[in-house]
Amino acid sequence: MSIVDVAYGLTAPVEAVMFFMMFDAFFEKRKSFALWQYVVGIGALAVLLKIVNDYLLFRLGNAAGMICAAIFVGLFFYRTSLLKWSFISFFVWFLFVSTEMFVLSMISHVFNLTISEAINISDYLVLGIIVSKAMAIAICYGICVKFKSKKFEVGGTYWLLFIALFSSAIIASFMIYRMLNKLNDPAYNIAAMLSAIGLYVSMFLALYLYERSAKQTQIIHRQEQAEQHMQHQLKHLDEIILKQNELRRIRHDINGHFTALQGYLDRSEEH
């Protein structure tokens, strides 16, 4: 199995994950599924996408096949209108194609190659697959964070970190393959591919941990605000109770004065 086969083999699972990320961001879940059920769903979609890519790659039916496969599997987990199904699925497919074309253009410009050479030379093809899929999944991830974080705002720092980490990973990927090109040793191909993939995995893990930390911080802050509000309400309630007790005391004193006055008037009438 060549390095190109390995890269193509990872393509379908990554694409399946991106479809599910977008479905989860925009569609309503049918019920609460267990994690293993989502894993099975992603695996089933990856198999269908692999079949579509093997038989319909670079053909007009590729888009229709991928969209139909995504809808077929996604219907088990999510519910929405047919228009939304079609639009989101087409958007994800368009994201695949547009990122691939953009990355191929970057490779041809950086390494002074033609598009045809970038596709036919295995090293550059693998670089294109890795960077384009990483770029597509980064866009999907950013969209998911934006639309799923309605209750929790991650803030501008998160997006600066997102751009900085992703830009650094892309630059590092190109530098790795530029050095590989200078070495001209196929023995380093697998190591270069694993290094590039590791960069993106580390990047997404760092972003995920930062997002979780930011949400946890906001939860703690809101809990502290709720506790402060509760303490303020309890203090206000204590003040009300004190005022009520004071009113009761005054009412008791007034009743005592009225009783004494009534007794005085009764004695005056007897005399």
Side-chain angles (χ1 to χ4, degrees), residues 61-72:
N62 180 258
M66 294 182 71
I67 291 172
C68 291
I71 294 175
F72 177 76

Side-chain angles (χ1 to χ4, degrees), residues 168-236:
S168 300
I170 290 180
I171 294 171
S173 299
F174 275 85
M175 291 180 66
I176 289 172
Y177 274 84
R178 179 177 283 276
M179 288 187 292
L180 184 64
N181 185 45
K182 297 293 184 182
L183 290 173
N184 195 23
D185 188 349
Y188 290 98
N189 286 343
I190 295 294
M193 184 183 72
L194 293 177
S195 299
I197 293 174
L199 280 172
Y200 295 108
V201 172
S202 301
M203 179 197 74
F204 285 115
L205 180 61
L207 290 171
Y208 174 77
L209 292 175
Y210 183 91
E211 177 194 350
R212 296 286 295 181
S213 176
K215 288 182 178 180
Q216 190 66 28
T217 301
Q218 291 187 34
I219 291 173
I220 294 173
H221 180 65
R222 291 182 181 183
Q223 288 177 342
E224 291 176 349
Q225 287 182 329
E227 290 176 359
Q228 291 177 357
H229 181 70
M230 181 64 70
Q231 290 175 357
H232 178 74
Q233 293 295 324
L234 290 174
K235 183 179 179 181
H236 182 63

Side-chain angles (χ1 to χ4, degrees), residues 21-22 25 86 91 101 106 127 135 152 177 206 220 242 247:
M21 287 172 63
M22 296 299 287
S86 302
F91 173 79
M101 296 303 298
M106 288 176 58
L127 175 62
M135 184 176 293
F152 302 98
Y177 274 84
I220 294 173
L242 289 174
L247 288 173

